[in-house]
Structure formats: structure tokens, C-alpha cells
Amino acid sequence: MSVQMQKPTMRVCERCGRTERWDDAQSAWQHAPDSDRGHPHCIHEWDINGSFTPYE
């Protein structure tokens, strides 16, 4: 049995509501095109709370 590591693909700022998705082509987080919320100059507080499990 092989252990597979998964990585997050989306994150949301708890202050301004900005949504970003991981872009494999650019190897960077990009503003989600379907989201009109958020502020690019916010000091983002991402929704990282320990509930994400990187191993399946």
C-alpha cells in the first residue's frame, strides 16, 4: 500500500474573502476567476486551521 500526499488547491482569506486557486502551470497561487471578492493589498489570513490532512 502506497501513501499518497495531497496538497491544497484552494484557499480563502478570512479577512477580505479573497479566494485563490493553485495553478500548476505557474506553480503559484492565482486569484480565482469566479471570485470577485477580496483585496489584493490585504494582509491575508488564510483559512488554515489544521483540518486539512495531507496524507490519504
Side-chain angles (χ1 to χ4, degrees), residues 20-47:
E20 293 185 352
R21 298 194 192 289
W22 181 256
D23 185 343
D24 282 327
Q26 295 185 12
S27 296
W29 290 100
Q30 299 294 316
H31 186 260
D34 57 343
S35 173
D36 59 351
R37 296 188 64 202
H39 190 276
H41 302 292
C42 171
I43 298 173
H44 300 297
E45 173 122 3
W46 301 113
D47 59 339

